[in-house]
mmCIF file of all heavy atoms in Angstrom:
data_model
loop_
_atom_site.group_PDB
_atom_site.id
_atom_site.type_symbol
_atom_site.label_atom_id
_atom_site.label_comp_id
_atom_site.label_asym_id
_atom_site.label_seq_id
_atom_site.Cartn_x
_atom_site.Cartn_y
_atom_site.Cartn_z
ATOM 1 N N VAL A 706 82.802 101.410 106.557
ATOM 2 C CA VAL A 706 82.202 100.082 106.510
ATOM 3 C C VAL A 706 80.948 100.121 105.641
ATOM 4 O O VAL A 706 80.083 100.981 105.841
ATOM 5 C CB VAL A 706 81.837 99.581 107.927
ATOM 6 C CG1 VAL A 706 81.198 98.210 107.866
ATOM 7 C CG2 VAL A 706 83.069 99.569 108.825
ATOM 8 N N ILE A 707 80.880 99.190 104.687
ATOM 9 C CA ILE A 707 79.701 99.053 103.829
ATOM 10 C C ILE A 707 79.249 97.598 103.937
ATOM 11 O O ILE A 707 80.043 96.682 103.748
ATOM 12 C CB ILE A 707 80.005 99.411 102.367
ATOM 13 C CG1 ILE A 707 80.528 100.851 102.262
ATOM 14 C CG2 ILE A 707 78.758 99.215 101.502
ATOM 15 C CD1 ILE A 707 81.034 101.229 100.882
ATOM 16 N N SER A 708 77.980 97.413 104.226
ATOM 17 C CA SER A 708 77.416 96.072 104.358
ATOM 18 C C SER A 708 76.243 95.947 103.403
ATOM 19 O O SER A 708 75.463 96.889 103.237
ATOM 20 C CB SER A 708 76.944 95.863 105.804
ATOM 21 O OG SER A 708 76.369 94.601 105.956
ATOM 22 N N ALA A 709 76.137 94.775 102.749
ATOM 23 C CA ALA A 709 75.020 94.541 101.831
ATOM 24 C C ALA A 709 74.736 93.050 101.765
ATOM 25 O O ALA A 709 75.559 92.226 102.150
ATOM 26 C CB ALA A 709 75.351 95.089 100.446
ATOM 27 N N HIS A 710 73.574 92.726 101.240
ATOM 28 C CA HIS A 710 73.148 91.331 101.149
ATOM 29 C C HIS A 710 73.864 90.577 100.036
ATOM 30 O O HIS A 710 74.224 91.143 99.011
ATOM 31 C CB HIS A 710 71.645 91.247 100.900
ATOM 32 C CG HIS A 710 70.828 91.673 102.064
ATOM 33 N ND1 HIS A 710 70.754 90.942 103.221
ATOM 34 C CD2 HIS A 710 70.052 92.766 102.261
ATOM 35 C CE1 HIS A 710 69.960 91.559 104.088
ATOM 36 N NE2 HIS A 710 69.527 92.666 103.530
ATOM 37 N N ILE A 711 74.021 89.286 100.255
ATOM 38 C CA ILE A 711 74.512 88.374 99.223
ATOM 39 C C ILE A 711 73.317 87.909 98.379
ATOM 40 O O ILE A 711 73.427 87.707 97.171
ATOM 41 C CB ILE A 711 75.277 87.184 99.840
ATOM 42 C CG1 ILE A 711 75.989 86.378 98.776
ATOM 43 C CG2 ILE A 711 74.379 86.302 100.673
ATOM 44 C CD1 ILE A 711 76.934 85.323 99.356
ATOM 45 N N ASP A 712 72.162 87.743 99.023
ATOM 46 C CA ASP A 712 70.910 87.391 98.366
ATOM 47 C C ASP A 712 69.782 87.553 99.372
ATOM 48 O O ASP A 712 70.017 87.887 100.530
ATOM 49 C CB ASP A 712 70.940 85.966 97.801
ATOM 50 C CG ASP A 712 71.189 84.896 98.863
ATOM 51 O OD1 ASP A 712 71.069 85.183 100.076
ATOM 52 O OD2 ASP A 712 71.502 83.761 98.479
ATOM 53 N N ALA A 713 68.566 87.331 98.911
ATOM 54 C CA ALA A 713 67.391 87.387 99.777
ATOM 55 C C ALA A 713 66.285 86.600 99.078
ATOM 56 O O ALA A 713 66.345 86.396 97.867
ATOM 57 C CB ALA A 713 66.960 88.839 100.008
ATOM 58 N N PRO A 714 65.286 86.154 99.811
ATOM 59 C CA PRO A 714 64.222 85.351 99.187
ATOM 60 C C PRO A 714 63.584 86.023 97.966
ATOM 61 O O PRO A 714 63.298 85.380 96.979
ATOM 62 C CB PRO A 714 63.202 85.171 100.312
ATOM 63 C CG PRO A 714 64.013 85.269 101.565
ATOM 64 C CD PRO A 714 65.087 86.286 101.253
ATOM 65 N N ASP A 715 63.365 87.320 98.031
ATOM 66 C CA ASP A 715 62.733 88.034 96.917
ATOM 67 C C ASP A 715 63.747 88.693 95.984
ATOM 68 O O ASP A 715 63.357 89.394 95.048
ATOM 69 C CB ASP A 715 61.775 89.098 97.447
ATOM 70 C CG ASP A 715 60.623 88.487 98.221
ATOM 71 O OD1 ASP A 715 60.249 87.334 97.913
ATOM 72 O OD2 ASP A 715 60.110 89.155 99.137
ATOM 73 N N TYR A 716 65.029 88.495 96.254
ATOM 74 C CA TYR A 716 66.086 89.142 95.473
ATOM 75 C C TYR A 716 67.256 88.171 95.418
ATOM 76 O O TYR A 716 68.160 88.235 96.244
ATOM 77 C CB TYR A 716 66.495 90.451 96.161
ATOM 78 C CG TYR A 716 67.298 91.379 95.293
ATOM 79 C CD1 TYR A 716 66.672 92.210 94.375
ATOM 80 C CD2 TYR A 716 68.690 91.444 95.398
ATOM 81 C CE1 TYR A 716 67.403 93.076 93.587
ATOM 82 C CE2 TYR A 716 69.421 92.310 94.612
ATOM 83 C CZ TYR A 716 68.773 93.128 93.708
ATOM 84 O OH TYR A 716 69.489 93.987 92.931
ATOM 85 N N PRO A 717 67.238 87.216 94.479
ATOM 86 C CA PRO A 717 68.191 86.107 94.500
ATOM 87 C C PRO A 717 69.669 86.478 94.338
ATOM 88 O O PRO A 717 70.522 85.737 94.778
ATOM 89 C CB PRO A 717 67.722 85.193 93.375
ATOM 90 C CG PRO A 717 66.852 86.030 92.515
ATOM 91 C CD PRO A 717 66.301 87.124 93.373
ATOM 92 N N ILE A 718 69.970 87.603 93.729
ATOM 93 C CA ILE A 718 71.380 87.998 93.601
ATOM 94 C C ILE A 718 71.526 89.394 94.192
ATOM 95 O O ILE A 718 71.072 90.383 93.618
ATOM 96 C CB ILE A 718 71.851 87.984 92.136
ATOM 97 C CG1 ILE A 718 71.707 86.586 91.568
ATOM 98 C CG2 ILE A 718 73.288 88.467 92.042
ATOM 99 C CD1 ILE A 718 72.027 86.460 90.107
ATOM 100 N N GLY A 719 72.155 89.457 95.373
ATOM 101 C CA GLY A 719 72.325 90.726 96.061
ATOM 102 C C GLY A 719 73.546 91.485 95.567
ATOM 103 O O GLY A 719 74.370 90.959 94.819
ATOM 104 N N PRO A 720 73.692 92.731 96.007
ATOM 105 C CA PRO A 720 74.792 93.573 95.538
ATOM 106 C C PRO A 720 76.179 93.050 95.916
ATOM 107 O O PRO A 720 77.155 93.368 95.248
ATOM 108 C CB PRO A 720 74.521 94.932 96.179
ATOM 109 C CG PRO A 720 73.534 94.675 97.259
ATOM 110 C CD PRO A 720 72.794 93.430 96.914
ATOM 111 N N PHE A 721 76.285 92.234 96.959
ATOM 112 C CA PHE A 721 77.589 91.711 97.362
ATOM 113 C C PHE A 721 77.716 90.212 97.084
ATOM 114 O O PHE A 721 78.518 89.518 97.701
ATOM 115 C CB PHE A 721 77.852 91.992 98.840
ATOM 116 C CG PHE A 721 78.379 93.379 99.109
ATOM 117 C CD1 PHE A 721 78.517 94.337 98.115
ATOM 118 C CD2 PHE A 721 78.770 93.732 100.381
ATOM 119 C CE1 PHE A 721 79.013 95.605 98.381
ATOM 120 C CE2 PHE A 721 79.284 95.000 100.670
ATOM 121 C CZ PHE A 721 79.392 95.935 99.660
ATOM 122 N N ALA A 722 76.961 89.697 96.125
ATOM 123 C CA ALA A 722 76.984 88.273 95.808
ATOM 124 C C ALA A 722 78.372 87.776 95.422
ATOM 125 O O ALA A 722 78.733 86.644 95.722
ATOM 126 C CB ALA A 722 75.989 87.960 94.695
ATOM 127 N N ALA A 723 79.185 88.595 94.764
ATOM 128 C CA ALA A 723 80.517 88.173 94.310
ATOM 129 C C ALA A 723 81.629 88.597 95.262
ATOM 130 O O ALA A 723 82.808 88.399 94.957
ATOM 131 C CB ALA A 723 80.785 88.728 92.915
ATOM 132 N N LEU A 724 81.282 89.144 96.408
ATOM 133 C CA LEU A 724 82.302 89.651 97.336
ATOM 134 C C LEU A 724 83.312 88.581 97.723
ATOM 135 O O LEU A 724 84.514 88.826 97.751
ATOM 136 C CB LEU A 724 81.622 90.202 98.588
ATOM 137 C CG LEU A 724 82.456 91.127 99.468
ATOM 138 C CD1 LEU A 724 82.753 92.425 98.738
ATOM 139 C CD2 LEU A 724 81.727 91.425 100.756
ATOM 140 N N ARG A 725 82.843 87.362 97.984
ATOM 141 C CA ARG A 725 83.731 86.277 98.417
ATOM 142 C C ARG A 725 84.732 85.883 97.337
ATOM 143 O O ARG A 725 85.721 85.218 97.620
ATOM 144 C CB ARG A 725 82.915 85.067 98.841
ATOM 145 C CG ARG A 725 82.117 84.485 97.703
ATOM 146 C CD ARG A 725 81.273 83.325 98.132
ATOM 147 N NE ARG A 725 80.458 82.904 97.002
ATOM 148 C CZ ARG A 725 79.233 82.480 97.092
ATOM 149 N NH1 ARG A 725 78.661 82.392 98.274
ATOM 150 N NH2 ARG A 725 78.565 82.129 96.039
ATOM 151 N N ASP A 726 84.474 86.275 96.078
ATOM 152 C CA ASP A 726 85.350 85.910 94.966
ATOM 153 C C ASP A 726 86.461 86.919 94.713
ATOM 154 O O ASP A 726 87.300 86.696 93.831
ATOM 155 C CB ASP A 726 84.529 85.736 93.686
ATOM 156 C CG ASP A 726 83.482 84.648 93.828
ATOM 157 O OD1 ASP A 726 83.757 83.648 94.527
ATOM 158 O OD2 ASP A 726 82.387 84.806 93.257
ATOM 159 N N LEU A 727 86.470 88.029 95.448
ATOM 160 C CA LEU A 727 87.516 89.029 95.236
ATOM 161 C C LEU A 727 88.868 88.467 95.652
ATOM 162 O O LEU A 727 88.978 87.768 96.654
ATOM 163 C CB LEU A 727 87.228 90.292 96.054
ATOM 164 C CG LEU A 727 85.993 91.091 95.663
ATOM 165 C CD1 LEU A 727 85.845 92.296 96.590
ATOM 166 C CD2 LEU A 727 86.057 91.522 94.216
ATOM 167 N N GLY A 728 89.888 88.780 94.888
ATOM 168 C CA GLY A 728 91.239 88.345 95.219
ATOM 169 C C GLY A 728 92.032 89.475 95.839
ATOM 170 O O GLY A 728 91.664 90.653 95.737
ATOM 171 N N THR A 729 93.117 89.112 96.479
ATOM 172 C CA THR A 729 94.008 90.115 97.054
ATOM 173 C C THR A 729 94.492 91.030 95.942
ATOM 174 O O THR A 729 94.827 90.577 94.849
ATOM 175 C CB THR A 729 95.202 89.428 97.742
ATOM 176 O OG1 THR A 729 94.683 88.560 98.748
ATOM 177 C CG2 THR A 729 96.129 90.430 98.402
ATOM 178 N N ASP A 730 94.513 92.306 96.200
ATOM 179 C CA ASP A 730 94.941 93.379 95.302
ATOM 180 C C ASP A 730 93.902 93.723 94.235
ATOM 181 O O ASP A 730 94.172 94.529 93.357
ATOM 182 C CB ASP A 730 96.304 93.096 94.671
ATOM 183 C CG ASP A 730 97.035 94.396 94.355
ATOM 184 O OD1 ASP A 730 96.904 95.352 95.144
ATOM 185 O OD2 ASP A 730 97.706 94.471 93.314
ATOM 186 N N THR A 731 92.702 93.133 94.295
ATOM 187 C CA THR A 731 91.627 93.555 93.403
ATOM 188 C C THR A 731 91.305 95.004 93.718
ATOM 189 O O THR A 731 91.266 95.403 94.886
ATOM 190 C CB THR A 731 90.355 92.699 93.630
ATOM 191 O OG1 THR A 731 90.658 91.347 93.321
ATOM 192 C CG2 THR A 731 89.197 93.181 92.775
ATOM 193 N N GLU A 732 91.099 95.810 92.690
ATOM 194 C CA GLU A 732 90.758 97.208 92.927
ATOM 195 C C GLU A 732 89.261 97.346 93.133
ATOM 196 O O GLU A 732 88.459 96.775 92.386
ATOM 197 C CB GLU A 732 91.187 98.099 91.771
ATOM 198 C CG GLU A 732 90.922 99.567 92.086
ATOM 199 C CD GLU A 732 91.570 100.512 91.103
ATOM 200 O OE1 GLU A 732 92.813 100.539 91.039
ATOM 201 O OE2 GLU A 732 90.818 101.213 90.403
ATOM 202 N N VAL A 733 88.888 98.085 94.178
ATOM 203 C CA VAL A 733 87.497 98.393 94.492
ATOM 204 C C VAL A 733 87.372 99.906 94.466
ATOM 205 O O VAL A 733 88.164 100.610 95.089
ATOM 206 C CB VAL A 733 87.118 97.858 95.902
ATOM 207 C CG1 VAL A 733 85.709 98.284 96.275
ATOM 208 C CG2 VAL A 733 87.275 96.355 95.964
ATOM 209 N N THR A 734 86.390 100.407 93.729
ATOM 210 C CA THR A 734 86.167 101.844 93.659
ATOM 211 C C THR A 734 84.834 102.167 94.317
ATOM 212 O O THR A 734 83.816 101.535 94.024
ATOM 213 C CB THR A 734 86.151 102.334 92.202
ATOM 214 O OG1 THR A 734 87.392 101.983 91.588
ATOM 215 C CG2 THR A 734 85.964 103.842 92.125
ATOM 216 N N VAL A 735 84.847 103.143 95.218
ATOM 217 C CA VAL A 735 83.638 103.589 95.905
ATOM 218 C C VAL A 735 83.304 104.970 95.364
ATOM 219 O O VAL A 735 84.142 105.872 95.387
ATOM 220 C CB VAL A 735 83.843 103.639 97.436
ATOM 221 C CG1 VAL A 735 82.594 104.166 98.124
ATOM 222 C CG2 VAL A 735 84.218 102.269 97.965
ATOM 223 N N SER A 736 82.073 105.115 94.873
ATOM 224 C CA SER A 736 81.615 106.391 94.329
ATOM 225 C C SER A 736 80.654 107.048 95.305
ATOM 226 O O SER A 736 79.771 106.385 95.850
ATOM 227 C CB SER A 736 80.908 106.173 92.989
ATOM 228 O OG SER A 736 81.787 105.571 92.061
ATOM 229 N N ALA A 737 80.822 108.349 95.487
ATOM 230 C CA ALA A 737 79.977 109.116 96.401
ATOM 231 C C ALA A 737 78.881 109.835 95.619
ATOM 232 O O ALA A 737 78.969 110.000 94.394
ATOM 233 C CB ALA A 737 80.819 110.121 97.175
ATOM 234 N N ALA A 738 77.862 110.280 96.318
ATOM 235 C CA ALA A 738 76.735 110.974 95.695
ATOM 236 C C ALA A 738 77.174 112.260 94.997
ATOM 237 O O ALA A 738 76.547 112.679 94.031
ATOM 238 C CB ALA A 738 75.669 111.276 96.747
ATOM 239 N N ASP A 739 78.273 112.869 95.459
ATOM 240 C CA ASP A 739 78.733 114.124 94.854
ATOM 241 C C ASP A 739 79.572 113.899 93.589
ATOM 242 O O ASP A 739 80.102 114.832 93.013
ATOM 243 C CB ASP A 739 79.521 114.953 95.869
ATOM 244 C CG ASP A 739 80.842 114.328 96.285
ATOM 245 O OD1 ASP A 739 81.197 113.230 95.767
ATOM 246 O OD2 ASP A 739 81.538 114.925 97.126
ATOM 247 N N GLY A 740 79.718 112.637 93.175
ATOM 248 C CA GLY A 740 80.477 112.323 91.967
ATOM 249 C C GLY A 740 81.938 111.990 92.212
ATOM 250 O O GLY A 740 82.625 111.532 91.301
ATOM 251 N N SER A 741 82.417 112.189 93.424
ATOM 252 C CA SER A 741 83.802 111.844 93.735
ATOM 253 C C SER A 741 83.923 110.336 93.912
ATOM 254 O O SER A 741 82.920 109.642 94.104
ATOM 255 C CB SER A 741 84.282 112.567 94.998
ATOM 256 O OG SER A 741 83.535 112.129 96.120
ATOM 257 N N SER A 742 85.145 109.822 93.828
ATOM 258 C CA SER A 742 85.354 108.389 94.038
ATOM 259 C C SER A 742 86.697 108.165 94.709
ATOM 260 O O SER A 742 87.570 109.036 94.689
ATOM 261 C CB SER A 742 85.272 107.626 92.721
ATOM 262 O OG SER A 742 86.299 108.035 91.852
ATOM 263 N N ALA A 743 86.843 106.987 95.296
ATOM 264 C CA ALA A 743 88.090 106.597 95.956
ATOM 265 C C ALA A 743 88.390 105.154 95.578
ATOM 266 O O ALA A 743 87.495 104.315 95.543
ATOM 267 C CB ALA A 743 87.962 106.728 97.475
ATOM 268 N N ALA A 744 89.670 104.875 95.275
ATOM 269 C CA ALA A 744 90.088 103.528 94.884
ATOM 270 C C ALA A 744 90.804 102.854 96.045
ATOM 271 O O ALA A 744 91.571 103.480 96.775
ATOM 272 C CB ALA A 744 91.008 103.594 93.675
ATOM 273 N N TYR A 745 90.546 101.559 96.194
ATOM 274 C CA TYR A 745 91.132 100.751 97.260
ATOM 275 C C TYR A 745 91.648 99.451 96.661
ATOM 276 O O TYR A 745 91.123 98.965 95.663
ATOM 277 C CB TYR A 745 90.081 100.412 98.325
ATOM 278 C CG TYR A 745 89.519 101.599 99.048
ATOM 279 C CD1 TYR A 745 88.465 102.336 98.512
ATOM 280 C CD2 TYR A 745 90.030 101.992 100.272
ATOM 281 C CE1 TYR A 745 87.940 103.424 99.179
ATOM 282 C CE2 TYR A 745 89.513 103.085 100.950
ATOM 283 C CZ TYR A 745 88.473 103.799 100.394
ATOM 284 O OH TYR A 745 87.964 104.875 101.062
ATOM 285 N N GLY A 746 92.650 98.857 97.300
ATOM 286 C CA GLY A 746 93.147 97.543 96.917
ATOM 287 C C GLY A 746 92.851 96.542 98.011
ATOM 288 O O GLY A 746 93.163 96.780 99.186
ATOM 289 N N VAL A 747 92.242 95.412 97.654
ATOM 290 C CA VAL A 747 91.867 94.390 98.627
ATOM 291 C C VAL A 747 93.122 93.779 99.250
ATOM 292 O O VAL A 747 94.046 93.389 98.544
ATOM 293 C CB VAL A 747 91.008 93.284 97.970
ATOM 294 C CG1 VAL A 747 90.769 92.119 98.933
ATOM 295 C CG2 VAL A 747 89.685 93.864 97.482
ATOM 296 N N THR A 748 93.139 93.718 100.582
ATOM 297 C CA THR A 748 94.264 93.107 101.304
ATOM 298 C C THR A 748 93.879 91.778 101.943
ATOM 299 O O THR A 748 94.742 90.960 102.216
ATOM 300 C CB THR A 748 94.819 94.050 102.390
ATOM 301 O OG1 THR A 748 93.777 94.388 103.297
ATOM 302 C CG2 THR A 748 95.394 95.319 101.767
ATOM 303 N N SER A 749 92.563 91.568 102.194
ATOM 304 C CA SER A 749 92.145 90.284 102.775
ATOM 305 C C SER A 749 90.670 90.031 102.537
ATOM 306 O O SER A 749 89.875 90.964 102.424
ATOM 307 C CB SER A 749 92.446 90.236 104.273
ATOM 308 O OG SER A 749 91.645 91.168 104.974
ATOM 309 N N VAL A 750 90.335 88.744 102.448
ATOM 310 C CA VAL A 750 88.952 88.270 102.385
ATOM 311 C C VAL A 750 88.862 87.162 103.434
ATOM 312 O O VAL A 750 89.527 86.137 103.317
ATOM 313 C CB VAL A 750 88.582 87.712 100.994
ATOM 314 C CG1 VAL A 750 87.146 87.204 100.989
ATOM 315 C CG2 VAL A 750 88.801 88.763 99.904
ATOM 316 N N THR A 751 88.069 87.385 104.480
ATOM 317 C CA THR A 751 88.031 86.464 105.610
ATOM 318 C C THR A 751 86.592 86.088 105.950
ATOM 319 O O THR A 751 85.712 86.944 105.962
ATOM 320 C CB THR A 751 88.680 87.114 106.851
ATOM 321 O OG1 THR A 751 89.982 87.594 106.505
ATOM 322 C CG2 THR A 751 88.792 86.132 108.003
ATOM 323 N N TYR A 752 86.379 84.804 106.227
ATOM 324 C CA TYR A 752 85.087 84.313 106.720
ATOM 325 C C TYR A 752 85.172 84.247 108.244
ATOM 326 O O TYR A 752 86.121 83.674 108.777
ATOM 327 C CB TYR A 752 84.803 82.903 106.199
ATOM 328 C CG TYR A 752 84.309 82.854 104.780
ATOM 329 C CD1 TYR A 752 85.137 83.169 103.720
ATOM 330 C CD2 TYR A 752 82.998 82.473 104.506
ATOM 331 C CE1 TYR A 752 84.686 83.105 102.413
ATOM 332 C CE2 TYR A 752 82.534 82.403 103.203
ATOM 333 C CZ TYR A 752 83.380 82.721 102.163
ATOM 334 O OH TYR A 752 82.928 82.662 100.872
ATOM 335 N N TYR A 753 84.194 84.845 108.918
ATOM 336 C CA TYR A 753 84.110 84.770 110.380
ATOM 337 C C TYR A 753 82.768 84.168 110.761
ATOM 338 O O TYR A 753 81.736 84.614 110.242
ATOM 339 C CB TYR A 753 84.159 86.170 111.006
ATOM 340 C CG TYR A 753 85.460 86.879 110.872
ATOM 341 C CD1 TYR A 753 85.648 87.850 109.887
ATOM 342 C CD2 TYR A 753 86.510 86.621 111.746
ATOM 343 C CE1 TYR A 753 86.858 88.535 109.778
ATOM 344 C CE2 TYR A 753 87.712 87.302 111.640
ATOM 345 C CZ TYR A 753 87.876 88.255 110.648
ATOM 346 O OH TYR A 753 89.066 88.932 110.546
#
Side-chain angles (χ1 to χ4, degrees):
V706 179
I707 302 172
S708 179
H710 291 290
I711 190 171
D712 59 15
D715 296 331
Y716 195 82
I718 300 175
F721 277 4
L724 197 67
R725 63 182 175 217
D726 300 325
L727 294 179
T729 301
D730 209 36
T731 298
E732 185 169 296
V733 175
T734 302
V735 177
S736 300
D739 67 1
S741 64
S742 63
Y745 297 84
V747 172
T748 58
S749 67
V750 179
T751 307
Y752 281 69
Y753 292 100

